[in-house]
Amino acid sequence: MDIRESFLPGIGMKYQMDAASGDRIVVVIHDDGRRELYHFSYENLDESISMVTLEDQEARQLAALIGGMVYKPKQLESVEMAFDELTIEWYRIEPHYACVGKTIGELNIRQNSGASVIALMDKKKGKQSNPGPTAVLNMEATVIAVGEREQQKRFKQILMNGSG
Amino acid sequence: MEHLVFEIGLALGLIALGGLISAKLRFSVIPFYILIGMAVGPHAMELWHFDFRFIDSAPFIDFMGRIGVLFLLFYLGLEFSVGRLIKSGRSIVVGGSIYIGINFTLGLLLGFLSGFPLAETLVIAGITTISSSAIAAKVLVDLKRTANSETEMILGIIMFEDVFLAVYISILSGFVLSDSSSLGGVLLSALVALGFMLAVLILGRKAVPLLNKWLRIRSNELFALVVFGTLFLVAGFSETIHVAEAIGALLVGLVLAETEHAKRIEHLIMPFRDFFGAVFFFSFGLSIDPMSLGGNAVWLALAAVIITLIGNFSAGMIAGRTASLSPKASANIGLTIVARGEFSIIMANLGKDGGLMEILQPFAAVYVLILAILGPLLTKQSKPIFIMLNRWFKFKDRRVQQE
């Protein structure tokens, strides 16, 4: 699709796109971070039918929604990002989980579930990205794994029960 | 003189009051600052402890207003870049030339037909040609028109006008401020002015790497001192060689805009521009006695308003057509940039500094007051106005024909 970009001196930037549906959408980004979204119908391109003003933060959240990234606050334990079939999930390791104290290699996570651990957040050890098989899954750590939905399910089983 | 702070405080209080009223009425502030200034002044009364005549403080208020002009033009220089204008496209250069051409010619005609000498006529044409960037840009944002198809054209014409203003002020200040009356003398002072400007721009361009280094100052205090010092020194020096100080300020802005510190300077200057700019409009109002209005100045202003309205509307229609905008969008162009403000008053002050006829000041005041209020109203009501005019003129929609 074609996006026409133009500079508005003293105001900001303007982006205009004509969607296949026939609607025209114009986004104006003001220099102070405010975004304005305008909707024009194809029959009358002189006047917008509706418009929305968003603050910087709100615009980012809306962009995430439109962009297909479902956003859940971190506190809700598992945050999902849909990447086609592939999802990234956050898991908190509760004290009663069977995996506590075991290494990624011991649990044979990749072979058993298909999911791979891409990051580990530990109170003591801090952040570890792409942890190796010797990394230990401690209590109250957060592990981030990437995999398809089925693989994520098996991964959760391993964490809780120690095996798929 | 001993109560100077109190008097300045009173003035600032009045300016603030004018601003608050305009915000309440949702109008542009410029006419209110001028009106508040006109309401008080030497003809006003002394009320108990409050001296509304501002006689003692007049020179100080006047000086603060002068600083306001310096900051206005300094900021214009900082914001402006030729690259941006070229990037905005060919249609804007065409539209801008049409707009300036029509309005400037009409202004010249008005001056000559009313029997003014050349210098006065040139100032009058300047007053009627250059619209207020501040009001037009604000109205666009306030009315949520930034997404419209004519917006680029409107902002482009404003930028084009700024270029015209810079060139025009420099020519006119050489012409009006020079002491000599002979053609040779005027030409010489114009050449001096031109040489000075070219020298500042060329030296400034060469000095950009050096300026980048010198301005790498962490302390905000020192940074402000260096920038302000440069601004006042160059502007003040310009004055000594009969180049308007506003041009000096503009030149400093243009040079500093090329440095990597442009954004920081912009942030630093903006509050000063707004503050002293407000005092500038107030001090302009202060210099006008409302009792002296009436007669020639008002009639001339009314004639100028009518001419400006016609000129703007037709220029907008033609400019819009060259960019194949619809007639309705084109009508918006002319009606949005009809507001006059800061630059018209700078022009009038230039006439005053050059000792031209006194009618220029009250003329500019009435003219700006009417158009600064009428401009935003016309912009807001552009739809019914267009429908009404369309009934008589039957504008053809080229866009539809093309499809």
Side-chain angles (χ1 to χ4, degrees):
Chain A
M1 193 178 51
D2 220 22
I3 298 184
R4 238 191 73 204
E5 176 188 306
S6 49
F7 170 70
L8 303 180
I11 294 174
M13 287 297 280
K14 173 175 163 183
Y15 300 89
Q16 173 182 316
M17 53 181 101
D18 291 319
S21 61
D23 288 325
R24 167 173 293 178
I25 302 158
V26 177
V27 178
V28 177
I29 304 183
H30 290 257
D31 285 336
D32 60 8
R34 199 154 38 99
R35 319 280 209 286
E36 284 177 342
L37 232 68
Y38 292 85
H39 174 205
F40 293 77
S41 83
Y42 191 72
E43 286 83 57
N44 180 12
L45 291 176
D46 282 339
E47 231 170 311
S48 64
I49 320 170
S50 66
M51 68 90 54
V52 181
T53 306
L54 298 167
E55 296 302 319
D56 183 62
Q57 188 64 34
E58 295 165 340
R60 284 170 198 282
Q61 283 176 344
L62 184 67
L65 276 176
I66 296 176
M69 302 168 238
V70 181
Y71 178 85
K72 282 187 219 157
K74 270 193 188 153
Q75 286 87 332
L76 295 186
E77 193 180 355
S78 107
V79 181
E80 253 185 331
M81 280 164 84
F83 194 74
D84 231 11
E85 290 295 294
L86 229 50
T87 61
I88 295 176
E89 289 208 45
W90 274 247
Y91 299 93
R92 218 175 96 91
I93 299 175
E94 302 294 342
H96 64 267
Y97 279 9
C99 67
V100 172
K102 293 194 172 139
T103 65
I104 291 176
E106 274 175 322
L107 293 164
N108 227 349
I109 287 172
R110 185 106 57 100
Q111 281 79 354
N112 289 342
S113 69
S116 28
V117 177
I118 54 174
L120 193 59
M121 171 74 151
D122 203 302
K123 267 200 185 122
K124 273 172 260 163
K125 286 190 182 158
K127 273 175 269 183
Q128 287 170 267
S129 60
N130 212 358
T134 52
V136 187
L137 300 178
N138 282 322
M139 220 194 300
E140 286 176 349
T142 302
V143 351
I144 305 169
V146 59
E148 285 169 21
R149 210 157 282 279
E150 208 42 50
Q151 297 170 335
Q152 292 281 9
K153 229 187 224 166
R154 282 200 292 268
F155 178 62
K156 179 112 199 229
Q157 286 292 318
I158 296 174
L159 289 182
M160 282 163 62
N161 307 330
S163 65
Chain B
M1 197 59 99
E2 51 200 310
H3 301 304
L4 185 62
V5 171
F6 183 57
E7 269 196 29
I8 300 281
L10 193 59
L12 290 180
L14 286 172
I15 299 173
L17 186 73
L20 286 173
I21 295 173
S22 87
K24 198 93 191 154
L25 298 174
R26 306 183 114 261
F27 263 124
S28 55
V29 287
I30 293 174
F32 284 86
Y33 292 152
I34 302 175
L35 278 176
I36 285 273
M38 281 169 72
V40 295
H43 53 273
M45 68 292 178
E46 196 175 353
L47 204 69
W48 178 55
H49 220 60
F50 303 104
D51 188 353
F52 285 103
R53 295 170 303 160
F54 296 107
I55 290 171
D56 285 345
S57 47
F60 291 91
I61 294 174
D62 202 45
F63 182 68
M64 282 162 85
R66 256 169 89 182
I67 299 179
V69 176
L70 291 190
F71 282 132
L72 269 169
L73 284 186
F74 178 60
Y75 195 82
L76 187 69
L78 273 181
E79 278 273 272
F80 181 75
S81 92
V82 182
R84 280 179 178 178
L85 191 70
I86 292 169
K87 221 171 106 190
S88 327
R90 192 189 66 91
S91 68
I92 277 155
V93 176
V94 175
S97 310
I98 294 170
Y99 182 85
I100 301 249
I102 291 182
N103 282 288
F104 191 67
T105 314
L106 287 176
L108 285 179
L109 277 178
L110 175 74
F112 279 128
L113 292 181
S114 317
F116 283 101
L118 180 63
E120 276 80 358
T121 301
L122 287 176
V123 173
I124 290 176
I127 292 174
T128 58
T129 304
I130 305 155
S131 46
S132 165
S133 322
I135 298 180
K138 189 168 179 298
V139 168
L140 275 181
V141 174
D142 286 354
L143 291 179
K144 316 256 179 232
R145 294 249 178 104
T146 46
N148 287 15
S149 48
E150 73 273 8
T151 302
E152 282 94 340
M153 179 60 103
I154 292 174
L155 292 170
I157 291 181
I158 291 176
M159 272 178 78
F160 198 81
E161 279 186 292
D162 293 346
V163 185
F164 175 77
L165 170 89
V167 175
Y168 193 61
I169 278 199
S170 49
I171 296 171
L172 202 61
S173 77
F175 183 60
V176 170
L177 297 182
S178 68
D179 310 317
S180 58
S181 50
S182 68
L183 184 68
V186 168
L187 276 179
L188 186 72
S189 53
L191 274 178
V192 170
L194 199 70
F196 170 69
M197 287 185 289
L198 283 178
V200 172
L201 284 180
I202 292 168
L203 280 178
R205 232 193 148 67
K206 288 256 178 279
V208 164
L210 214 57
L211 286 171
N212 276 341
K213 216 176 85 192
W214 285 343
L215 285 173
R216 223 164 276 148
I217 300 167
R218 189 168 297 158
S219 148
N220 279 331
E221 178 188 331
L222 277 179
F223 186 73
L225 279 171
V226 170
V227 172
F228 280 45
T230 317
L231 170 62
F232 278 62
L233 271 175
V234 176
F237 179 75
S238 316
E239 248 252 306
T240 62
I241 55 166
H242 298 302
V243 174
E245 50 188 25
I247 291 290
L250 183 78
L251 291 173
V252 182
L254 285 171
V255 169
L256 290 182
E258 303 292 322
T259 66
E260 58 195 31
H261 306 279
K263 276 272 164 262
R264 190 175 172 199
I265 301 172
E266 255 176 51
H267 279 290
L268 171 77
I269 291 300
M270 221 186 304
F272 290 94
R273 180 200 61 171
D274 294 343
F275 177 80
F276 288 104
V279 180
F280 162 62
F281 292 112
F282 177 78
S283 77
F284 178 73
L286 210 56
S287 69
I288 287 153
D289 180 2
M291 300 304 157
S292 76
L293 288 181
N296 287 335
V298 174
W299 287 117
L300 188 64
L302 286 178
V305 166
I306 293 167
I307 285 177
T308 306
L309 289 179
I310 297 170
N312 266 264
F313 191 79
S314 29
M317 292 310 284
I318 300 171
R321 182 152 287 192
T322 61
S324 32
L325 292 169
S326 71
K328 206 167 141 219
S330 310
N332 278 343
I333 299 176
L335 293 172
T336 303
I337 38 193
V338 86
R340 297 290 184 269
E342 60 277 22
F343 299 131
S344 300
I345 294 176
I346 290 175
M347 277 285 154
N349 278 349
L350 185 66
K352 185 187 167 197
D353 293 342
L356 299 184
M357 287 164 80
E358 273 173 13
I359 192 177
L360 292 176
Q361 291 261 95
F363 159 70
V366 178
Y367 178 73
V368 167
L369 280 178
I370 296 176
L371 283 181
I373 292 178
L374 203 57
L377 283 179
L378 288 178
T379 313
K380 208 173 186 173
Q381 300 302 328
S382 60
K383 200 173 169 188
I385 293 171
F386 173 74
I387 292 171
M388 196 181 75
L389 288 172
N390 200 21
R391 224 173 273 154
W392 298 335
F393 293 108
K394 309 258 179 291
F395 302 113
K396 280 201 185 113
D397 196 335
R398 275 232 311 215
R399 186 168 54 86
V400 175
Q401 283 178 337
Q402 273 171 353
E403 276 160 11

